[in-house]
């Protein structure tokens, strides 16, 4: 594992050891396997949830927008608390494990809720609380286990494994709905069992501590507890990254709405709806590692912005005049969504991880994820309200204009640091083994 021994973001990183560029750290691969299994569980539910809520229970777009926003952004306090606790005692595995277990148990909550909107909202909130607790400690483990020059690649590998689960989850949901004649309860039970398997993998195979056994003189200098939670905000580069992520998140309407728009535009059968996320997930899976490597080589700022340009392209494709070939519309939107996630998700974590101190990784990443999640919650609720009041076409035009403005703001806000713009050119050629 690689770590700047002073605990400062500006400390010189140790050079890679012989062969370091040839393989991904074992901790990253193990966490990827945990995420793969957990994503099968979560995507089994996510794939059928829009149909279950809108078509099965008859929720209006504004009600669905509220619940979709709740899933993405109503866990900010817990997310920040999880990041702080993980940093405070370097208990990254334990805090992440609590989150994984809570998300798994939330599937039973959906089963017990029946058709009650309140019970469904509580179960979804529990799932998002679990995700909020686990995400920052998990990403901190990835950062602390990887060499700084290979962060994009490590996150790309992890996200590729994570997305493999996102591909398998909807397939499993589709098969269960077909075999059980549309019984959503069967999907919820199977999702719970798979989620428990992910928890067991974490407990048995993920290392308990992320920091190497360093002598006392070489250990990171601890941060005073009073200043640790807000220390990341004192760094101008991190503030600019946080502002850009929140601004762009506020113009992101959410995948569920995109899939609903596709389903209505193309008149797809409800039975095929759970398969829509597969197209985006396939693109993400194929591009996550290449995008991470590109970000490591050319800088992480430009790929992150280009990813949002791809999302803008997806919105414009949905706004194209009717009458074109349906397969091209479907493939175009899903491919652009895959590019969006491959160029933004792990790249943003790598961009932020490179400016955060070693003993403040989980708290800083939690702060970033919270800002982005809250912005996306507002975007989902706002788009749902606009759809209800103005209709889907006008609402999508408004979202497109908002994203275009947010891209201009993100271009101005994102810092032009070494990690954002690319590694400095060395006068002495380095031998790259990766």
């Amino acid at each position: 594992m690689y770590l700047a021994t002073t605990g400062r973001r500006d400390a010189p990183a140790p050079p890679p050891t012989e062969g370091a560029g040839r393989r991904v750290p074992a901790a990253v691969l193990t966490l990827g396997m945990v995420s793969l299994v957990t994503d099968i569980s979560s995507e089994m539910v996510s794939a059928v949830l829009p149909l279950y809520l809108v078509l099965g229970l008859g929720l209006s777009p504004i009600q669905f927008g509220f619940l979709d926003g709740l899933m993405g952004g109503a866990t900010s306090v817990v997310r920040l608390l999880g990041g702080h606790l993980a940093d405070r005692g370097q208990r990254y595995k334990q805090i992440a494990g609590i989150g994984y277990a809570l998300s798994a148990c939330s599937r039973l909550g959906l089963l017990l809720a029946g058709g009650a909107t309140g019970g469904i909202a509580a179960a979804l909130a529990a799932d998002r609380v679990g995700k909020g607790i686990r995400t920052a400690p998990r990403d901190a483990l990835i950062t602390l286990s990887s060499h700084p020059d290979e962060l994009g690649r490590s996150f790309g590998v992890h996200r590729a494994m994570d997305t493999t689960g996102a591909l398998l989850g909807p397939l499993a949901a589709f098969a269960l709905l077909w075999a059980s004649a549309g019984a959503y309860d069967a999907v919820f039970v199977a999702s719970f069992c798979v989620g428990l398997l992910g928890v067991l993998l974490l407990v048995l195979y993920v290392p308990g501590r992320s920091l190497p056994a360093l002598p006392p003189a070489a250990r990171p200098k601890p941060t005073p507890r009073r200043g640790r939670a807000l220390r990341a905000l004192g760094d101008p580069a991190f503030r600019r990254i946080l502002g850009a992520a929140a601004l762009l998140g506020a113009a992101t309407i959410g995948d569920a709405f995109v899939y609903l728009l596709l389903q209505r535009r193309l008149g797809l059968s409800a039975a095929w709806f759970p398969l829509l996320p597969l197209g985006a997930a396939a693109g993400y899976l194929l591009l996550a590692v290449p995008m991470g490597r590109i970000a490591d080589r050319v800088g992480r700022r430009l790929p992150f912005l280009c990813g949002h340009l791809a999302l803008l392209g997806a919105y414009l494709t949905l706004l194209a005049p009717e009458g074109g070939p349906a397969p091209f519309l479907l493939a175009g939107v899903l491919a652009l969504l895959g590019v969006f996630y491959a160029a933004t998700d792990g790249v943003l974590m790598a961009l932020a991880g490179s400016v955060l101190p070693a003993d403040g990784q989980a708290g800083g990443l939690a702060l970033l994820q919270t800002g982005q999640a809250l912005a996306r919650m507002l975007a989902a609720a706002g788009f749902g309200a606009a759809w209800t009041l103005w209709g889907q076409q006008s609402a999508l035009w408004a979202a497109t204009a908002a994203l275009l403005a947010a891209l201009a703001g993100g271009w101005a806000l994102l810092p032009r640091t070494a990690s954002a713009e690319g590694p400095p050119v060395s006068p002495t050629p380095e031998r790259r083994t990766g």
Side-chain angles (χ1 to χ4, degrees):
M1 298 181 185
Y2 305 102
L3 184 67
T5 56
T6 61
R8 293 169 53 91
R9 68 176 182 87
D10 55 351
T17 57
E18 181 67 27
R22 296 177 184 170
R23 58 187 180 185
V24 177
V28 175
L29 294 176
T30 308
L31 287 166
M33 183 58 63
V34 173
S35 292
L36 186 155
V37 173
T38 302
D39 242 39
I40 293 176
S41 170
S42 63
E43 291 302 321
M44 286 177 69
V45 173
S46 297
V48 303
L49 202 58
L51 282 181
Y52 179 62
L53 297 177
V54 176
L55 300 183
L57 301 182
L59 268 64
S60 68
I62 192 170
Q63 289 174 311
F64 177 73
F66 171 76
L67 288 177
D68 187 58
L70 177 68
M71 287 190 290
T75 60
S76 56
V77 175
V78 177
R79 191 186 298 260
L80 292 172
L81 179 62
H84 172 72
L85 292 177
D87 279 334
R88 183 177 177 179
Q90 298 173 16
R91 293 173 293 190
Y92 302 105
K93 175 181 175 178
Q94 292 89 333
I95 300 300
I98 293 172
Y100 280 112
L102 186 57
S103 290
C105 292
S106 71
R107 317 294 184 228
L108 291 182
L110 284 172
L111 186 65
L112 297 175
T117 304
I120 293 171
L124 295 179
D127 177 52
R128 294 301 95 180
V129 166
K131 183 175 178 63
I133 289 174
R134 72 179 185 254
T135 302
R138 180 204 66 198
D139 286 350
L141 279 169
I142 295 172
T143 302
L144 294 171
S145 301
S146 306
H147 191 274
D149 291 341
E150 300 288 344
L151 277 179
R153 178 186 173 197
S154 290
F155 275 105
V157 169
H158 175 269
R159 294 319 196 245
M161 297 180 72
D162 184 87
T163 308
T164 302
L167 275 169
L168 297 176
L171 285 174
F174 179 79
L176 279 172
L177 285 178
W178 178 80
S180 61
Y184 291 99
D185 289 354
V187 177
F188 298 151
V189 171
S191 174
F192 168 71
C193 296
V194 177
L196 283 185
L197 176 60
V199 176
L200 287 175
L201 288 174
L202 178 80
V203 171
L204 295 176
Y205 297 110
V206 173
R209 297 179 68 85
S210 67
L211 298 180
L214 298 174
R219 289 174 185 164
K221 184 179 179 180
T223 306
R225 291 180 181 178
R226 290 184 302 173
R228 180 176 294 176
L230 298 178
R231 180 174 56 160
L233 288 176
D235 182 79
F238 180 79
R239 286 201 307 269
R240 294 171 75 89
I241 294 170
L242 174 62
L247 180 63
L248 289 162
T252 304
I253 65 174
D255 295 354
F257 275 122
V258 173
Y259 299 144
L260 283 173
L261 288 168
L262 268 177
Q263 190 264 340
R264 296 194 176 196
R265 171 75 181 268
L266 302 177
L268 294 176
S269 167
W272 293 99
F273 187 88
L275 297 181
L276 286 179
L278 293 182
Y284 190 5
L285 174 62
L286 292 174
L287 296 174
V289 176
M291 283 292 185
R293 293 181 66 88
I294 290 172
D296 285 336
R297 292 180 180 273
V298 307
R300 294 156 191 161
R301 178 175 179 270
L302 188 58
F304 181 70
L305 292 170
C306 287
H308 286 87
L309 274 177
L311 182 63
L312 182 67
Y315 293 174
L316 291 173
T317 304
L318 284 169
L319 288 168
E322 295 188 15
F328 289 132
L329 174 68
L330 179 64
V333 171
L334 296 181
L336 288 167
L337 275 182
V339 173
F340 164 64
Y341 280 110
T344 58
D345 188 13
V347 172
L348 177 62
M349 294 300 103
L351 178 59
S354 63
V355 303
L356 288 169
D359 62 341
Q361 283 284 328
L365 293 178
L367 193 61
L368 177 63
Q369 292 158 2
T370 296
Q372 188 179 54
L374 288 175
R376 288 181 174 178
M377 177 185 69
L378 295 176
F383 184 79
W387 186 342
T388 302
L389 296 174
W390 305 334
Q392 64 185 47
Q393 198 78 354
S394 298
L396 189 54
W397 273 115
T400 302
L403 181 55
L404 189 60
L407 270 167
W411 176 271
L413 276 174
L414 281 175
R416 290 168 171 80
T417 60
S419 62
E421 295 289 357
V425 178
S426 173
T428 305
E430 286 190 69
R431 178 175 176 266
R432 303 283 299 180
T433 59

